[in-house]
Amino acid sequence: VRPASRAGYTGGAPSSPTAEVGALQAKTVAQAEEIEDLRGAMEGIEHERDYYFRKLREVEILCSSLQAQVEEGADVTPLQVITDVQGILYAENEEEAEPKEEPAEEAEDAPAA
């Protein structure tokens, strides 16, 4: 059922049904392209979010490790902390960052809060 305001409306719209279908198909194609562009942007943003989350997680693990070292009496210098954090921040990917401890050891240190 077409609304009364739409019946006979020709204000700028194609007058024939074939032209209207063609216009709608063109609009559909344009919207599909826009959706693909938005999906690509979303995937890029999600990748970046995950990248920075991994960096933050590595810094968190480093902090736990350094705290455990300090509690054991090890001498942790500010320069060592800065160097370790910069190593995490400026590493190109996870393989380039040098982990200080294995994950199993980190789990043992974490509950000592």
Side-chain angles (χ1 to χ4, degrees):
V1 175
R2 293 175 68 149
S5 62
R6 190 82 170 127
Y9 174 73
T10 59
S15 58
S16 72
T18 305
E20 189 173 337
V21 168
L24 291 173
Q25 287 174 336
K27 185 177 179 180
T28 301
V29 168
Q31 289 175 338
E33 290 172 359
E34 183 180 5
I35 288 171
E36 286 304 311
D37 290 344
L38 292 172
R39 278 192 181 125
M42 182 182 68
E43 288 173 4
I45 290 169
E46 287 175 344
H47 177 74
E48 189 171 347
R49 175 203 63 197
D50 294 345
Y51 173 82
Y52 285 109
F53 180 81
R54 284 191 304 272
K55 295 288 184 181
L56 180 61
R57 180 67 181 130
E58 289 176 28
V59 170
E60 181 182 34
I61 291 168
L62 173 66
C63 289
S64 295
S65 172
L66 292 174
Q67 182 178 10
Q69 290 176 18
V70 167
E71 289 172 356
E72 292 173 0
D75 185 29
V76 178
T77 66
L79 180 60
Q80 176 188 356
V81 174
I82 292 169
T83 302
D84 291 344
V85 170
Q86 285 178 334
I88 291 169
L89 294 177
Y90 299 126
E92 291 297 317
N93 58 38
E94 321 57 83
E95 289 82 34
E96 292 182 19
E98 296 180 24
K100 293 294 178 184
E101 295 184 28
E102 293 299 315
E105 294 175 16
E106 293 164 4
E108 294 172 9
D109 293 338

